[in-house]
Amino acid sequence: SSPPSNPTINTMAQLPTQNPKPEFRSTLGMEIPQENTPAEEEREEDSIRVFVRVRPLSEREQQQQQQENMITVNVASSSLILRGDFPRHFVFDGVLGPEASQDATFDTVAKSIVGSCLAGYNGSIYVYGQTGTGKTYTMSGLCNSSATVKLDTRGGLIGRMLAQVFSEISRRTCQDSREQFRLRCSFLEIYKEQIMDLLEPSSTGLPVREDINR
């Protein structure tokens, strides 16, 4: 089974809120002259990283395509070029091409965030893109059971991050049996400004509160 079809780019933003050593950097999709690249020391100060993943064309798109692909991906320089009469060159913290696996996507985008969270810092991953760009495939994959989450190579970031959390808990408890962990999970959908608790589907139209007491 292949990733979803339609437009080809989705963007992932990775946000740790605090970090004692700023290990994350970002150019936030900065457009630059093709011959230049941002200085590494200037990009190390940011705590936001932005990645772009370009999915492969679907069979239908390949059949309908009348001209060459308008996107050139350069994984080595973390950049992509939108070709045309006036080519535009963009540099990101990382670019994942059409051939990138789910495993490689996790290692590039999410693995360090889980490590930061286990060290006591908040972390978030946001995925942006038009319908059909592969957001759900990237985050959830094509797995439909707990067994396939562990074994299926198409598993997305969510399942892989959870697996890493439990693996690290197991490792730490083996080292120190006195160490204890408490995990809480919520799974919400926000659609047209309506919130649904996906772990309790009957709970719809949930209010958004800035203060738990209001």
Side-chain angles (χ1 to χ4, degrees):
S1 179
S2 60
S5 59
N6 285 335
T8 57
I9 298 178
N10 69 64
T11 306
M12 291 162 282
Q14 179 194 66
L15 295 87
T17 57
Q18 300 178 46
N19 205 316
K21 296 181 180 178
E23 56 178 312
F24 304 111
R25 57 188 175 82
S26 175
T27 58
L28 294 176
M30 181 171 64
E31 184 177 3
I32 63 172
Q34 185 168 349
E35 65 274 10
N36 296 332
T37 57
E40 189 70 23
E41 59 272 18
E42 293 179 359
R43 303 188 335 177
E44 288 180 345
E45 297 302 321
D46 294 332
S47 59
I48 299 175
R49 302 179 74 189
V50 178
F51 299 85
V52 167
R53 186 180 191 185
V54 180
R55 67 157 176 79
L57 296 175
S58 66
E59 293 182 2
R60 178 173 59 84
E61 289 169 333
Q62 293 177 13
Q63 295 172 357
Q64 294 178 350
Q65 196 171 25
Q66 302 298 319
Q67 57 186 6
E68 63 178 342
N69 197 334
M70 297 302 294
I71 300 173
T72 298
V73 176
N74 190 324
V75 176
S77 64
S78 299
S79 65
L80 59 83
I81 298 174
L82 301 181
R83 294 202 297 270
D85 294 336
F86 302 97
R88 305 182 69 180
H89 182 235
F90 297 88
V91 173
F92 299 87
D93 290 287
V95 173
L96 297 151
E99 71 289 342
S101 66
Q102 294 283 73
D103 192 49
T105 302
F106 169 74
D107 288 342
T108 302
V109 176
K111 195 169 185 178
S112 62
I113 280 287
V114 177
S116 294
C117 289
L118 292 172
Y121 301 97
N122 294 328
S124 301
I125 294 179
Y126 297 89
V127 181
Y128 304 89
Q130 295 177 339
T131 299
T133 53
K135 300 185 299 297
T136 299
Y137 179 77
T138 294
M139 291 301 293
S140 303
L142 299 178
C143 303
N144 53 18
S145 69
S146 59
T148 55
V149 166
K150 296 180 180 180
L151 302 175
D152 200 313
T153 58
R154 300 170 298 177
L157 295 183
I158 295 174
R160 293 172 185 271
M161 294 172 74
L162 290 173
Q164 184 182 353
V165 168
F166 282 102
S167 176
E168 181 63 16
I169 288 176
S170 177
R171 185 188 69 81
R172 294 186 183 187
T173 52
C174 286
Q175 292 180 343
D176 185 355
S177 59
R178 296 170 299 176
E179 193 166 6
Q180 296 182 339
F181 297 86
R182 176 184 295 176
L183 301 180
R184 292 184 296 178
C185 177
S186 59
F187 199 20
L188 305 177
E189 177 185 80
I190 303 176
Y191 181 67
K192 293 184 177 179
E193 300 184 2
Q194 295 293 316
I195 301 178
M196 177 183 294
D197 185 346
L198 297 180
L199 299 179
E200 182 56 59
S202 61
S203 299
T204 59
L206 301 175
V208 178
R209 295 188 177 94
E210 295 183 4
D211 189 320
I212 193 172
N213 296 317
R214 296 180 181 177

